[in-house]
Amino acid sequence: MPAHRLRVIPLGGLGEIGKNMMALEYGNDIIVIDAGLMFPSEETPGVDLLVPDISYLLERQQNVRGIVITHGHEDHIGALPYILPRLAPPIYATRFTRELILVGLKQRGVKTDAKLNLVGPGSRITLGSFTIEFFSVCHSIPDCVGLIIHTPRGIVVHSGDFKIDHTPVISEATNFSQLASLGAKGVLLLLSDSTYVELPGYTPSEGVVSDTLDRIVSQAKGRVIVTTFASLVSRLQQVLDVAVKRERRVFIIGRSMKEIVNMALKTGYLTAPPGTICRLDELKSLPHNRVIVLSTGSQGEPTSALVRMANRDPKSQLQIVPGDTVVISATPIPGNETLVSKTTDSLFRQGANVIYSKLAQVHVHGHASQEELKLLLSLVKPKFFVPVHGEYRHLILHANLAQSMGIPEDNTFVLDNGDVLELGQDSGKVVAKNQAGVVYVSGLLTGELDSVLLQDRRSLSRDGIVVVTIAVDAESRKLARKPRIITRGFVDAADEQALIEKGQDAVQAALDHDRGRLADVSFVDTRVRESLGRFLYERIHRRPIIIPVVMEVGKSERKRTS
Amino acid sequence: MPAHRLRVIPLGGLGEIGKNMMALEYGNDIIVIDAGLMFPSEETPGVDLLVPDISYLLERQQNVRGIVITHGHEDHIGALPYILPRLAPPIYATRFTRELILVGLKQRGVKTDAKLNLVGPGSRITLGSFTIEFFSVCHSIPDCVGLIIHTPRGIVVHSGDFKIDHTPVISEATNFSQLASLGAKGVLLLLSDSTYVELPGYTPSEGVVSDTLDRIVSQAKGRVIVTTFASLVSRLQQVLDVAVKRERRVFIIGRSMKEIVNMALKTGYLTAPPGTICRLDELKSLPHNRVIVLSTGSQGEPTSALVRMANRDPKSQLQIVPGDTVVISATPIPGNETLVSKTTDSLFRQGANVIYSKLAQVHVHGHASQEELKLLLSLVKPKFFVPVHGEYRHLILHANLAQSMGIPEDNTFVLDNGDVLELGQDSGKVVAKNQAGVVYVSGLLTGELDSVLLQDRRSLSRDGIVVVTIAVDAESRKLARKPRIITRGFVDAADEQALIEKGQDAVQAALDHDRGRLADVSFVDTRVRESLGRFLYERIHRRPIIIPVVMEVGKSERKRTS
């Protein structure tokens, strides 16, 4: 009998889409799967990105045998630049993934001692008690893998982010026979992607987009500008293929698009006959119906090439003209809907014909729908099931799906980040629920997300701030002058001069009433907040943050500070 | 020949979903169609709601013959409480709509001299040069109408918000023969709803939801909690019908749900056998499988009954228990996606089984899809076409649709709010493009939306604020003490004490360097902003708003203020 239980510890990515990170622990061995970031939402204004809290790993640093990466999306690799300076075990990634990790480390100026080992489908590595085999899966970036992890307790299968695509554009198809033979042997645990569990049926093959793109390009009388995720290399390949077929030249704009296209051409993930891709300065000499532009901006990112075009930004490398066709070959990531809609509207305003996923099948997504999830479950036939990579509702629905396939309810575990699930041979149990923290990155600062700070920011964005300057005469202990109010983000100061003046009067009246206590700074502070807060709420029903600045002025003051 | 041209002046609702308002002008006669509000987005933090700028109408007050309302949704009636105190022409509305207008006026404490006239399908009213007939249309609230407006230039048809539903639950079906006979006579202009022009095919009938609700309720072992829009009375009726069929009692929670249910029962828009609807205190005595709860909160509104349940708010009238089924019989309005997802997740966390539109057909929307829009166009056969009620892309797509039906490009007009379109017998032209302002309501304040104010709020929400107190000795003109920094929403003050202190040093160093000029307050102000701004950006790459508070302290100061 094995001496230890297998511990499954999600550090990120459960109950959220983003910052995926999962630890498996057996005795003194820990392996980590993925190390991703999460982009901020409205709820975390002023935050650049969020990464998992790795305290659990830092406390057991000597046990961490390696970080295994399933693919190169930011929600799977984006935390490495922040983690590696503190924890540098060997890293295992496929070729394309490794290239993207290197780009990320370079961009953030991070040097690391961690070894970046190359693996691929069929590779087999041993990290302490764990032996890991890699199998290829289809997703929306090249070189994705799932993991077959042999542990002393049994086999763990991690799906990675996947869909089942029998006609992929550039990836290898999923190796079903390998999974099926595992299922026959007996799998202890399946960890599987829950992102699109709400969708019935099958996710369409990447192949179907080719036909749509070809139809659009062949019908377009002018330039065709295609925007998509830079890392969606199969889509880029489809655009290049259509360009060759329809005798158009391709121009690349946007920093990340250029970087990835160059990298993918160099590494052979992207192929094009010589002369297909041209420099931007060659664009002017071509008739519009010979041009395709590949651009960043599919998420309406404010500084992206497409948004600059949409807004007629003078810095834009390209101006939209009537006759242009813009293809948004992507769907908005939740939270980006408004940005994408605004960009679409602005492009229409410039005279472009915009084609997006509601109007034509110009995009298919990269995650498995219900029937594919069922197929994986029935191939792998796991004893235990843990849905990963999803909001809480996705995890629950995926657990329900697994139960409908015959996995007992007691053997399915919907976990939260920070939970410690221990698996024995026949049963599993959550033995600890740690508070999994979130680390924010904001400019050059990182830290624990502080709810007071975020609350203040929300409050400031709603009602603004009112600074009240109070000068107290150091000798007489009276107000040395009328209180003065400065505001930002509160009201239109020019329109509301009378309100501001009456507010000053209200503070003065409140303090005059208690003038005996003006030497007590904290009393003045409270009194100002209360009196002005009440006044403003009564007058206009708003509650700005009020900062009293109390200063003693007068002769005695000068003595004290000299 | 008529003496004047017909002027079409959208004051709101074009290039946006919300604050619908359209003026038609002929000679000295103006009629207004709808007077709606728009709910704010992330782009307008701290704003409660937005209403159209009615300067155009105020300048021609004596010409405004009436406001005609198509239906009772807030984006069609919600501006009335803000407009009627300034402009009080007679108002024309159907019965249910009038009830909702009265509720809105009462809630906001507005008394008006405007006469609220009752109209209905088949009514005919004359306002100056305009004679208006009303025809019933289906939408997602009772008593909706479209308008047939006879003008000296020809007939104008306004669709209102509509879909075509041959089996409506409580509304009358659309009167096609009336429209078709108009088409035969010749219609000058069609104004038609563009909201769902992106959707191919037909919008399903409200009737299909009944089957889904019945299946869910009959299968549920515990309570069923249904949330939907309070004004979607046909949905409420479906819930009541299922309750009667499945022998459950209905409990209503949430203020607006109670108000509308009571009003709809009283006015006969909603019917239920006696005893169907019970008081909340009777809930406890019933077994869970005999209970249906109708609740507000379908948009994840933070203070709604459903969200209180989801968050185990102690103030909630109901606690979710495992076995409860929650049906979200609505889809999120754009912008509310995150709130609704969070609510769904929280309900799942409480143990509820949550059923929402991605999982079952528990909702159909209230606007026409492409085939219905085409049907209206081909019935009415207008000479001119103006798409209304939509974001810019919707208007363009609707114009394209009309052109594909044979309306010449020169006769379709995609307008912006504030445009003045003049129609002659055979041609039309935008003769003026006024800047249509937006009026915000924020607490008790209203005003023109000020971009500086909003910019400050966004900046505050990202990077917070830093207040720097500078005390200048009035005699020596030196710093009387070290500058002091107070922050809000900037950094975690406890974690970043060292940063704050170094910032104070940086300001001091900058001012010491120029100490000769400290008597010049504006110089000090600029110097503080610059030096501290640079310091903070270099240190942490953030740019908070900096407010220097400069104060003279010392003997001379006391003299001056005494």
Side-chain angles (χ1 to χ4, degrees):
Chain A
M1 268 294 283
H4 304 284
R5 293 182 156 245
L6 177 68
R7 291 155 75 93
V8 178
I9 308 140
L11 298 173
L14 269 62
E16 62 193 5
I17 304 278
K19 64 182 179 65
N20 294 286
M21 188 174 219
M22 168 72 77
L24 295 185
E25 187 174 21
Y26 183 83
N28 287 327
D29 296 317
I30 295 176
I31 57 168
V32 179
I33 302 164
D34 290 330
L37 61 73
M38 186 154 86
F39 292 104
S41 68
E42 299 142 55
E43 287 169 46
T44 51
V47 167
D48 300 332
L49 52 95
L50 302 159
V51 294
D53 177 357
I54 55 165
S55 315
Y56 190 92
L57 302 177
L58 291 175
E59 287 158 16
R60 295 157 182 84
Q61 190 147 184
Q62 71 292 352
N63 294 353
V64 180
R65 306 283 164 241
I67 303 179
V68 182
I69 306 288
T70 59
H71 64 285
H73 279 148
E74 286 287 14
D75 60 332
H76 293 257
I77 66 169
L80 287 173
Y82 305 94
I83 288 174
L84 292 185
R86 308 177 69 196
L87 180 78
I91 295 169
Y92 300 86
T94 56
R95 188 155 168 230
F96 193 80
T97 306
R98 193 175 67 162
E99 293 290 332
L100 290 176
I101 293 172
L102 290 170
V103 167
L105 292 174
K106 197 174 152 200
Q107 268 173 7
R108 289 178 180 94
V110 174
K111 294 209 190 315
T112 175
D113 297 330
K115 225 184 139 207
L116 259 158
N117 302 286
L118 203 61
V119 292
S123 295
R124 201 182 170 97
I125 58 170
T126 295
L127 301 173
S129 324
F130 301 97
T131 293
I132 304 169
E133 291 177 81
F134 298 81
F135 62 97
S136 76
V137 293
C138 287
H139 180 45
S140 49
I141 187 170
D143 250 9
C144 300
V145 289
L147 312 174
I148 297 163
I149 306 166
H150 301 268
T151 82
R153 278 278 162 201
I155 294 170
V156 176
V157 174
H158 190 297
S159 71
D161 288 13
F162 83 106
K163 67 171 175 179
I164 291 171
D165 190 339
H166 300 288
T167 55
V169 171
I170 58 171
S171 316
E172 286 180 54
T174 308
N175 190 333
F176 291 116
S177 56
Q178 190 180 6
L179 289 173
S181 71
L182 280 179
K185 274 192 254 174
V187 168
L188 181 74
L189 168 67
L190 172 64
L191 303 156
S192 176
D193 178 2
S194 311
T195 318
Y196 274 85
V197 67
E198 291 168 330
L199 290 194
Y202 292 90
T203 300
S205 166
E206 182 71 10
V208 304
V209 175
S210 290
D211 296 340
T212 318
L213 287 176
D214 186 55
R215 184 172 50 74
I216 292 169
V217 171
S218 66
Q219 288 172 2
K221 296 196 172 60
R223 299 181 296 192
V224 179
I225 298 157
V226 182
T227 181
T228 188
F229 304 99
S231 62
L232 183 41
V233 176
S234 56
R235 195 65 50 78
L236 310 184
Q237 185 66 59
Q238 289 175 301
V239 172
L240 290 176
D241 292 347
V242 169
V244 171
K245 181 171 170 198
R246 297 293 169 187
E247 296 176 346
R248 292 191 181 224
R249 302 294 177 86
V250 179
F251 300 84
I252 316 285
I253 59 177
R255 192 183 50 79
S256 64
M257 188 63 83
K258 278 184 198 153
E259 271 178 18
I260 297 220
V261 167
N262 286 337
M263 187 269 273
L265 285 168
K266 216 161 53 191
T267 48
Y269 288 93
L270 202 56
T271 55
T276 308
I277 300 177
C278 298
R279 290 196 321 276
L280 202 64
D281 52 14
E282 301 172 81
L283 179 63
K284 291 202 182 72
S285 61
L286 278 174
H288 279 190
N289 62 0
R290 299 267 69 87
V291 172
I292 292 184
V293 177
L294 255 177
S295 170
T296 52
S298 71
Q299 296 302 307
E301 303 93 326
T303 58
S304 65
L306 186 71
V307 173
R308 285 192 203 279
M309 284 182 237
N311 297 340
R312 298 200 91 71
D313 187 327
K315 277 184 271 179
S316 177
Q317 296 180 284
L318 212 72
Q319 303 296 329
I320 295 288
V321 295
D324 284 346
T325 300
V326 177
V327 180
I328 302 179
S329 183
T331 43
I333 293 169
N336 292 348
E337 294 88 350
T338 312
L339 285 175
V340 176
S341 296
K342 279 183 57 152
T343 306
T344 307
D345 285 340
S346 303
L347 289 165
F348 270 123
R349 274 186 195 278
Q350 303 306 328
N353 178 28
V354 192
I355 300 174
Y356 46 105
S357 63
K358 280 190 183 167
L359 306 182
Q361 195 157 29
V362 288
H363 181 64
V364 293
H365 60 81
H367 295 274
S369 303
Q370 282 170 13
E371 294 307 315
E372 293 152 272
L373 297 173
K374 287 187 200 166
L375 180 55
L376 185 66
L377 278 158
S378 67
L379 282 169
V380 172
K381 296 189 184 65
K383 178 176 280 174
F384 299 108
F385 179 65
V386 173
V388 297
H389 206 285
E391 306 270 2
Y392 193 81
R393 63 191 176 283
H394 304 138
L395 305 182
I396 289 280
L397 293 169
H398 203 178
N400 292 346
L401 195 77
Q403 288 162 26
S404 79
M405 304 274 299
I407 299 184
E409 192 176 340
D410 284 350
N411 288 5
T412 56
F413 299 94
V414 173
L415 302 181
D416 280 315
N417 296 331
D419 283 0
V420 178
L421 169 67
E422 275 194 0
L423 292 181
Q425 212 56 49
D426 296 309
S427 68
K429 195 178 166 190
V430 173
V431 294
K433 289 185 94 66
N434 302 318
Q435 183 67 42
V438 180
V439 174
Y440 75 85
V441 178
S442 175
L444 302 182
L445 277 185
T446 64
E448 275 285 307
L449 259 194
D450 177 328
S451 61
V452 175
L453 185 69
L454 292 178
Q455 216 172 300
D456 278 354
R457 284 183 182 171
R458 275 193 291 270
S459 175
L460 287 168
S461 78
R462 259 192 326 265
D463 291 330
I465 193 157
V466 174
V467 178
V468 193
T469 317
I470 310 289
V472 178
D473 187 291
E475 277 184 2
S476 69
R477 305 303 194 191
K478 292 180 188 168
L479 283 179
R481 75 189 83 147
K482 194 173 169 179
R484 198 160 60 95
I485 285 178
I486 309 169
T487 74
R488 277 295 189 296
F490 170 53
V491 292
D492 185 325
D495 288 357
E496 301 300 337
Q497 205 44 50
L499 177 74
I500 307 269
E501 274 167 28
K502 291 223 173 68
Q504 293 174 165
D505 294 343
V507 173
Q508 180 161 32
L511 293 179
D512 277 349
H513 186 262
D514 293 295
R515 68 174 67 171
R517 302 180 60 187
L518 296 198
D520 177 351
V521 172
S522 85
F523 170 80
V524 174
D525 195 280
T526 308
R527 200 84 182 87
V528 170
R529 279 178 217 270
E530 280 175 5
S531 59
L532 187 57
R534 197 178 324 119
F535 170 82
L536 293 175
Y537 188 75
E538 278 169 9
R539 281 307 174 98
I540 62 167
H541 278 203
R542 308 304 297 178
R543 298 191 189 282
I545 290 186
I546 296 172
I547 300 190
V549 176
V550 188
M551 216 186 264
E552 286 202 342
V553 302
K555 198 163 55 181
S556 51
E557 168 65 21
R558 281 175 58 212
K559 276 192 198 135
R560 207 186 297 159
T561 57
S562 61
Chain B
M1 268 295 285
H4 305 284
R5 293 180 156 246
L6 178 66
R7 291 155 74 95
V8 178
I9 307 140
L11 298 173
L14 269 62
E16 62 194 4
I17 304 280
K19 63 184 179 64
N20 294 287
M21 189 174 218
M22 168 73 77
L24 295 185
E25 187 174 21
Y26 184 84
N28 287 326
D29 296 317
I30 295 176
I31 57 168
V32 179
I33 302 164
D34 291 330
L37 61 75
M38 186 155 86
F39 293 104
S41 68
E42 300 141 52
E43 286 169 48
T44 50
V47 166
D48 300 333
L49 52 95
L50 302 160
V51 295
D53 176 356
I54 55 165
S55 315
Y56 190 91
L57 302 177
L58 291 175
E59 287 158 15
R60 296 158 181 85
Q61 193 147 181
Q62 72 291 352
N63 293 353
V64 180
R65 306 284 164 240
I67 303 179
V68 182
I69 306 287
T70 60
H71 64 285
H73 279 148
E74 286 287 14
D75 59 334
H76 294 256
I77 67 170
L80 287 174
Y82 305 95
I83 288 175
L84 292 185
R86 308 176 69 196
L87 179 77
I91 295 169
Y92 300 86
T94 57
R95 187 154 168 229
F96 193 80
T97 307
R98 192 175 69 162
E99 293 290 331
L100 289 175
I101 293 171
L102 290 170
V103 167
L105 292 174
K106 198 174 153 197
Q107 267 172 7
R108 290 179 177 92
V110 174
K111 296 210 190 314
T112 175
D113 296 330
K115 225 184 140 207
L116 259 158
N117 302 286
L118 203 60
V119 292
S123 295
R124 199 182 171 97
I125 58 171
T126 296
L127 302 174
S129 323
F130 300 97
T131 294
I132 304 169
E133 290 178 80
F134 298 81
F135 63 97
S136 76
V137 294
C138 286
H139 180 45
S140 49
I141 187 169
D143 249 9
C144 299
V145 289
L147 312 174
I148 297 162
I149 306 165
H150 302 267
T151 82
R153 277 279 162 201
I155 294 171
V156 176
V157 174
H158 189 296
S159 72
D161 287 13
F162 83 106
K163 66 172 175 178
I164 291 171
D165 191 339
H166 300 288
T167 55
V169 172
I170 58 173
S171 315
E172 285 179 55
T174 308
N175 191 333
F176 292 116
S177 56
Q178 191 179 5
L179 289 173
S181 71
L182 281 179
K185 272 191 255 174
V187 168
L188 181 73
L189 168 67
L190 173 63
L191 303 156
S192 177
D193 178 2
S194 312
T195 317
Y196 274 85
V197 67
E198 291 169 331
L199 290 194
Y202 291 89
T203 300
S205 167
E206 182 70 12
V208 305
V209 176
S210 291
D211 296 339
T212 318
L213 287 175
D214 185 55
R215 183 172 50 74
I216 292 169
V217 170
S218 65
Q219 289 171 1
K221 297 196 170 59
R223 301 181 294 193
V224 178
I225 298 156
V226 182
T227 182
T228 188
F229 303 98
S231 61
L232 183 40
V233 174
S234 57
R235 195 66 50 79
L236 310 184
Q237 185 65 59
Q238 290 174 300
V239 172
L240 291 176
D241 292 346
V242 169
V244 171
K245 181 173 169 196
R246 297 293 168 186
E247 295 177 346
R248 293 189 181 227
R249 301 295 177 87
V250 178
F251 301 84
I252 316 285
I253 60 176
R255 190 184 51 80
S256 64
M257 188 64 82
K258 278 184 198 153
E259 272 179 16
I260 296 222
V261 167
N262 286 338
M263 187 270 272
L265 285 169
K266 216 161 52 189
T267 48
Y269 288 94
L270 203 56
T271 55
T276 308
I277 299 177
C278 297
R279 290 195 322 275
L280 203 63
D281 53 13
E282 301 172 83
L283 179 63
K284 292 203 180 69
S285 61
L286 277 175
H288 279 189
N289 62 1
R290 299 267 69 86
V291 171
I292 292 183
V293 177
L294 254 177
S295 170
T296 51
S298 70
Q299 296 302 307
E301 303 92 324
T303 57
S304 66
L306 187 71
V307 173
R308 286 193 202 279
M309 285 182 234
N311 296 340
R312 297 201 90 71
D313 187 326
K315 276 184 271 177
S316 176
Q317 295 180 285
L318 212 71
Q319 302 296 330
I320 296 288
V321 294
D324 284 346
T325 300
V326 177
V327 180
I328 302 179
S329 185
T331 42
I333 292 169
N336 292 348
E337 294 88 351
T338 312
L339 285 175
V340 175
S341 295
K342 280 183 60 154
T343 305
T344 308
D345 285 341
S346 303
L347 289 164
F348 270 123
R349 275 186 194 277
Q350 305 304 330
N353 178 28
V354 191
I355 300 173
Y356 46 105
S357 63
K358 280 189 183 169
L359 307 181
Q361 195 157 30
V362 290
H363 181 64
V364 293
H365 60 81
H367 295 274
S369 304
Q370 283 169 13
E371 294 307 314
E372 294 151 273
L373 297 173
K374 287 187 201 166
L375 180 55
L376 184 66
L377 278 158
S378 67
L379 282 169
V380 172
K381 296 189 183 62
K383 176 175 284 175
F384 298 108
F385 178 64
V386 172
V388 298
H389 205 286
E391 306 269 3
Y392 194 79
R393 63 189 176 284
H394 304 138
L395 306 182
I396 288 280
L397 292 170
H398 203 177
N400 291 347
L401 194 77
Q403 286 162 26
S404 78
M405 304 274 299
I407 298 183
E409 192 176 340
D410 284 350
N411 288 5
T412 57
F413 299 93
V414 173
L415 302 181
D416 280 315
N417 296 331
D419 284 358
V420 178
L421 169 68
E422 275 194 1
L423 292 182
Q425 211 57 49
D426 295 307
S427 67
K429 195 179 166 190
V430 174
V431 294
K433 289 185 95 67
N434 302 318
Q435 184 66 43
V438 180
V439 174
Y440 74 86
V441 178
S442 173
L444 302 183
L445 277 185
T446 63
E448 275 286 307
L449 258 194
D450 176 328
S451 61
V452 175
L453 186 69
L454 293 177
Q455 214 173 300
D456 278 352
R457 285 183 181 170
R458 276 193 292 269
S459 175
L460 286 167
S461 78
R462 260 193 326 263
D463 290 330
I465 194 158
V466 174
V467 178
V468 193
T469 317
I470 310 290
V472 177
D473 187 292
E475 276 184 3
S476 70
R477 303 303 193 192
K478 294 180 188 170
L479 284 178
R481 74 189 83 149
K482 194 174 167 177
R484 198 160 62 94
I485 285 178
I486 310 169
T487 74
R488 277 293 189 297
F490 170 52
V491 292
D492 184 327
D495 289 356
E496 301 299 337
Q497 205 44 52
L499 177 75
I500 306 266
E501 275 168 27
K502 290 223 174 65
Q504 293 174 165
D505 293 343
V507 173
Q508 182 161 32
L511 293 179
D512 277 349
H513 185 263
D514 294 294
R515 69 174 65 169
R517 302 180 60 186
L518 297 197
D520 177 351
V521 172
S522 86
F523 171 79
V524 174
D525 195 280
T526 308
R527 200 83 182 88
V528 169
R529 280 177 216 268
E530 280 175 5
S531 59
L532 187 58
R534 198 179 321 118
F535 171 83
L536 293 174
Y537 189 74
E538 277 168 11
R539 281 306 173 98
I540 62 167
H541 279 203
R542 308 303 298 179
R543 298 191 189 281
I545 289 185
I546 296 172
I547 301 190
V549 176
V550 187
M551 216 186 264
E552 285 201 342
V553 302
K555 199 162 58 180
S556 54
E557 169 64 20
R558 281 174 60 212
K559 277 195 195 130
R560 209 186 296 158
T561 57
S562 60

